[in-house]
Amino acid sequence: MAGNGNVRGPRCIALVGPFQGGKTTLLEAILARTSTIQRQGTVDAGTTVGDASKEARHHKMSVEVSVATANFMGDDYTFIDCPGSVEFVQEMRAVLPAVDAAVVVCEADERKVSQLQLIMRELEDLKIPRFLFLNKIDKADQRIRETLKLLQPASRVPLLLRQIPIWKNDIITGFVDLALERAFVYKEHVPSEVIPLEGEDLTRGKDARFSMLETLADHDDELMEQLLEDIPPPRDKVFDDLAKEQRDGLICPVLIGVAPRTNGVLRLLKALRHESQGIAATAKRLGIKGNDPVAYVLKTFHTAHGGKMSVARVLSGQVGDGTTLNSPDGEGGRVSGVLKLVGQVTEKRGPAVAGETVAFAKLEHAKTGDTLSAGKQPHKAVAEVATFPPVLAIAVSAKDRKDDVKLGVAFNKLHDEDPSLVIHHNAETHEVVVWGQGEMHLRVATERLADRYGVAVERRQPSVGYRETIRRPIAAVRGRHKKQSGGHGQFGDVVLDVKPLPRGSGFSFDEKIVGGAVPRNYIPSVEEGVIDALKHGPLGFQVVDLAVALVDGSYHAVDSSDMAFRIAGRIGINDALPQCNPVLLEPIHTVEIVCPTEATAKINAILSGRRGQILSFDTREGWSGWDVVRAKMPESEIGDLIIEVRSATAGVGSFTFKFDHMAELTGKPADQIVAARRAAAAE
Ligand SMILES: Nc1nc2c(ncn2[C@@H]2O[C@H](COP(=O)(O)OP(=O)(O)OP(=O)(O)O)[C@@H](O)[C@H]2O)c(=O)[nH]1
Ligand SMILES: [Mg+2]
């Protein structure tokens, strides 16, 4: 086969694709085909190398990356099996910068096309060369050309069919390799067998090969001429073009197969071997010069026993036991063990060289997405991995208060591993709020807290940031605190004016004391008392947008004190506010939803149903077939919005939101909120 483009050396390949397309099963098939494992397990039986965590097995889906290194024809390949669920897509995003190529595993399912498009975009934007592995062709019920037509809109570059199926009685029994011009019949769990290419398969193969060559010729004038003049192009030239155009991301070659039966896997491995680029090209893409050790952390794991493990690809130089690796900000740590990974099975090994993907043990400072280096100056980050903005939150607390500290430590670890899981401490409500990418993402996070870190948690809806304000001013309200029976007494007496301020003004305090009615040194205490009282207004919430003025008062030469004036200030406000026509305020956010155009009408209906006020809808810039809808919406309605948005968009719709303003809320909804607050306070 063609020689000049061939790459030798360790490769790193991501297995990506829409939810449940068969990535983990394909990894298993690859490991079986390369004899890395003796028996090919299945996802359904929970016996695969990938998805070995308790959470993945339990949910029968990938919830984090699985990593396995195999040897094929003398070269090492590390496969990174990424979850397909949109809720775990951060895992894939962090992996992609350092891989040589991605195998996009996909089935012929119309409902998966938008997801496929999202994944293709990530790859296209990062310039990661890619193959498409059309899996589950045992279930195919339409011609391959139709399938390609269905999937093509998801890719900006041509999906280039490299194989066509051989059908017998509506079942696919083998394939014609269009580059090799050879026919194969599938065998279960053993390599396909060559059969004579004849009859209808020969004709179909010729036609399909011609289309393949035509697409290749778009970027090769010489090939174009040969086609026009009916000269059969040399086989080597075809392979060279396939390799070159794949590496340059000009085409996405399509191979077909059935992962659980290992069908199509050998051809896929051969395509990777001959066509995928290697570390030299990847290092160049990442801007690496020289030979100093540089590694990129695809994923850090805090294992239950072995401490921390960082899966990293060495991009240049060599990293071994004892190498000190620094982050771009100069934080350093020593590698304490280099491991080869086949799923959960680890094996100690020697130093890793450029191209190899291994796990470094006990690098405490490493985080997913970090660039680590051992040169004189820390190497700058080779990739900035943007985190997906969070869309769903829960409030959690340790079931046992004694576990609070453990909970904090565990959360830090989870965030290290997965930056799309964000923990926020709400100082006002004292809630620990966990933000993530969806229900399953948050569920898996709490399961890990229990399974891995032994912290059982309770989960609740996080509180909405309600406030209250007043609608009417009041003048000269007295606040008087007096205790003068026996011993040292207490005396404070203030007169306050209270008036509403425009929305968003917050709080202001003023004093207009004349003639020392309240001595100057007590005035700050009065303000403190006022602030105390504003924390819980008559409706139970923080009171905002009002001005309080201290206008008069009196004091006692012996019994007055800071504390007495503070209490007086509090009493004054507590008396004043109920007379000021208090009203509830709820936070309103601007929400921006992105969705495929066919779902826009549904999204508009969802927004209206949730008291949303639609501001605009437009086509999404740079995304053909997508819209963006903007609306103003109450925070209380955003809480579980993502669930409806996903179900209206086959999982691909998402949104971001930003606080806009506080708005008055009256009537029954307000009464319910106030009643709930009272009930909670009484508990
Ligand atoms: N019929 C058929 N089923 C398959 C094939 N490949 C995988 N499956 C099944 O599809 C389901 C999902 O397979 P997985 O390998 O877990 O898919 P995945 O892409 O890793 O899923 P996520 O990581 O959760 O996105 C399992 O029930 C597999 O047995 C195939 O080629 N044909
Ligand atoms: Mg999987």
Side-chain angles (χ1 to χ4, degrees):
M1 209 173 290
N4 41 9
N6 274 6
V7 180
R8 291 282 176 262
R11 244 70 70 81
C12 184
I13 310 289
L15 304 179
V16 301
F19 189 44
Q20 297 279 294
K23 298 169 288 295
T24 304
T25 308
L26 178 62
L27 173 64
E28 191 74 6
I30 290 171
L31 297 177
R33 171 61 76 238
T34 54
S35 301
T36 314
I37 55 174
Q38 298 315 313
R39 264 181 85 93
Q40 183 172 344
T42 68
V43 171
D44 303 289
T47 50
T48 47
V49 167
D51 289 1
S53 74
K54 194 169 164 189
E55 298 80 26
R57 290 270 197 255
H58 176 63
H59 298 294
K60 289 204 189 331
M61 61 184 275
S62 299
V63 297
E64 63 194 332
V65 297
S66 303
V67 181
T69 299
N71 191 283
F72 179 63
M73 299 177 80
D75 288 324
D76 273 350
Y77 294 76
T78 301
F79 293 93
I80 320 281
D81 168 25
C82 302
S85 158
V86 289
E87 299 188 28
F88 298 92
V89 64
Q90 187 74 40
E91 295 280 307
M92 172 189 88
R93 191 177 258 187
V95 162
L96 292 183
V99 301
D100 298 321
V103 175
V104 184
V105 182
C106 185
E107 55 194 302
D109 181 346
E110 200 177 355
R111 291 164 303 173
K112 302 277 177 79
V113 177
S114 297
Q115 271 190 53
L116 179 65
Q117 185 188 15
L118 288 186
I119 292 162
M120 286 295 194
R121 276 209 163 238
E122 295 269 329
L123 297 169
E124 288 161 3
D125 292 349
L126 287 168
K127 300 193 167 35
I128 310 292
R130 63 218 85 105
F131 296 85
L132 194 137
F133 186 76
L134 184 64
N135 191 31
K136 303 199 187 182
I137 58 153
D138 52 331
K139 298 205 303 188
D141 55 5
Q142 62 181 358
R143 314 311 286 187
I144 188 108
R145 291 248 157 247
E146 296 304 311
T147 302
L148 269 251
K149 244 186 241 154
L150 180 78
L151 302 180
Q152 182 60 62
S155 169
R156 285 165 168 164
V157 300
L159 298 177
L160 179 106
L161 200 53
R162 295 235 357 216
Q163 302 168 334
I164 57 164
I166 295 175
W167 294 82
K168 211 164 253 165
N169 304 329
D170 289 338
I171 293 176
I172 295 176
T173 56
F175 64 96
V176 179
D177 188 297
L178 303 177
L180 284 174
E181 297 172 275
R182 222 180 265 165
F184 295 83
V185 61
Y186 289 134
K187 299 275 164 187
E188 204 156 336
H189 301 305
V190 291
S192 304
E193 221 170 69
V194 181
I195 52 166
L197 179 54
E198 54 194 18
E200 198 201 333
D201 294 333
L202 179 63
T203 337
R204 283 177 53 237
K206 279 202 165 129
D207 289 350
R209 178 175 158 88
F210 192 76
S211 316
M212 178 183 87
L213 296 178
E214 268 184 329
T215 306
L216 288 177
D218 282 342
H219 302 282
D220 180 347
D221 295 341
E222 193 190 332
L223 179 62
M224 184 64 91
E225 267 169 41
Q226 289 168 341
L227 292 184
L228 289 173
E229 285 165 29
D230 234 0
I231 302 167
R235 187 175 283 182
D236 280 2
K237 177 173 184 57
V238 174
F239 278 107
D240 283 351
D241 276 9
L242 278 169
K244 183 171 182 311
E245 295 186 19
Q246 192 281 140
R247 287 174 198 167
D248 292 347
L250 299 169
I251 53 165
C252 174
V254 179
L255 299 136
I256 62 176
V258 184
R261 295 188 199 152
T262 339
N263 292 159
V265 173
L266 187 59
R267 284 288 128 206
L268 173 67
L269 288 168
K270 290 204 166 166
L272 289 174
R273 175 177 165 83
H274 292 291
E275 291 160 36
S276 123
Q277 64 181 30
I279 186 62
T282 301
K284 191 166 161 214
R285 167 165 58 74
L286 295 174
I288 292 187
K289 300 185 184 87
N291 272 325
D292 283 342
V294 181
Y296 174 82
V297 181
L298 311 163
K299 173 80 183 175
T300 52
F301 290 98
H302 289 270
T303 62
H305 307 295
K308 191 165 181 176
M309 257 194 348
S310 303
V311 181
R313 185 163 201 219
V314 179
L315 301 169
S316 71
Q318 174 176 317
V319 180
D321 214 352
T323 305
T324 296
L325 289 176
N326 300 305
S327 316
D329 62 11
E331 208 183 341
R334 265 161 63 96
V335 173
S336 168
V338 180
L339 305 163
K340 173 186 165 182
L341 294 179
V342 178
Q344 308 278 83
V345 180
T346 57
E347 190 184 299
K348 271 208 163 257
R349 46 156 291 163
V353 298
E356 289 188 298
T357 307
V358 294
F360 296 132
K362 306 217 165 58
L363 273 182
E364 296 309 329
H365 70 299
K367 291 193 294 294
T368 298
D370 273 357
T371 299
L372 304 175
S373 59
K376 275 201 196 80
Q377 296 290 325
H379 198 283
K380 69 174 191 334
V382 295
E384 294 295 344
V385 182
T387 33
F388 285 88
V391 289
L392 190 67
I394 50 169
V396 300
S397 51
K399 275 198 179 133
D400 186 341
R401 289 300 305 262
K402 284 205 307 278
D403 284 342
D404 275 355
V405 174
K406 235 161 103 183
L407 181 65
V409 172
F411 268 138
N412 281 340
K413 291 182 175 174
L414 291 182
H415 176 73
D416 254 16
E417 293 182 3
D418 174 4
S420 72
L421 191 75
V422 183
I423 292 89
H424 176 74
H425 195 247
N426 185 332
E428 189 185 308
T429 59
H430 303 293
E431 279 173 344
V432 177
V433 180
V434 189
W435 281 96
Q437 305 298 319
E439 275 179 306
M440 187 56 85
H441 190 221
L442 294 175
R443 171 137 35 121
V444 167
T446 52
E447 285 170 357
R448 283 188 184 135
L449 288 174
D451 297 345
R452 247 198 254 165
Y453 302 108
V455 191
V457 294
E458 275 166 357
R459 38 185 298 172
R460 270 168 291 108
Q461 292 281 352
S463 353
V464 173
Y466 293 113
R467 299 279 186 272
E468 59 182 270
T469 190
I470 53 168
R471 286 185 285 191
R472 200 162 59 203
I474 189 164
V477 179
R478 176 146 246 135
R480 195 174 163 87
H481 178 59
K482 182 176 167 185
K483 259 195 190 163
Q484 289 175 309
S485 52
H488 193 36
Q490 297 175 31
F491 184 88
D493 174 40
V494 299
V495 177
L496 304 172
D497 283 357
V498 180
K499 64 170 195 212
L501 288 180
R503 200 63 61 243
S505 314
F507 162 67
S508 77
F509 181 81
D510 208 3
E511 55 89 6
K512 295 171 186 159
I513 295 295
V514 283
V518 175
R520 298 236 77 81
N521 54 317
Y522 293 136
I523 294 177
S525 301
V526 176
E527 183 175 356
E528 275 171 39
V530 168
I531 291 171
D532 287 345
L534 294 178
K535 281 186 189 138
H536 299 282
L539 306 181
F541 299 93
Q542 167 100 45
V543 190
V544 295
D545 300 344
L546 80 171
V548 175
L550 172 64
V551 293
D552 202 359
S554 63
Y555 71 103
H556 186 279
V558 179
D559 292 346
S560 281
S561 65
D562 280 334
M563 186 45 81
F565 269 100
R566 185 166 174 170
I567 295 171
R570 198 150 70 203
I571 293 172
I573 288 295
N574 284 340
D575 278 0
L577 293 182
Q579 307 175 59
C580 294
N581 199 359
V583 63
L584 196 64
L585 292 177
E586 69 168 340
I588 308 289
H589 297 259
T590 319
V591 183
E592 199 173 292
I593 305 193
V594 291
C595 61
T597 307
E598 62 265 18
T600 306
K602 276 196 228 160
I603 293 294
N604 287 344
I606 291 170
L607 292 177
S608 307
R610 289 172 172 258
R611 298 193 284 137
Q613 182 204 338
I614 292 167
L615 302 173
S616 66
F617 45 97
D618 294 302
T619 53
R620 187 179 185 190
E621 220 184 297
W623 287 69
S624 76
W626 283 66
D627 282 348
V628 46
V629 183
R630 288 185 191 82
K632 286 211 192 324
M633 202 166 177
E635 183 173 309
S636 60
E637 300 285 345
I638 297 173
D640 56 357
L641 176 64
I642 190 65
I643 296 164
E644 264 192 274
V645 167
R646 291 230 172 99
S647 78
T649 57
V652 295
S654 68
F655 68 87
T656 52
F657 62 99
K658 206 171 128 212
F659 174 75
D660 193 72
H661 68 282
M662 300 296 286
E664 287 185 10
L665 182 66
T666 54
K668 205 166 161 207
D671 295 345
Q672 281 169 350
I673 291 159
V674 172
R677 180 72 164 198
R678 288 216 174 104
E683 255 177 21

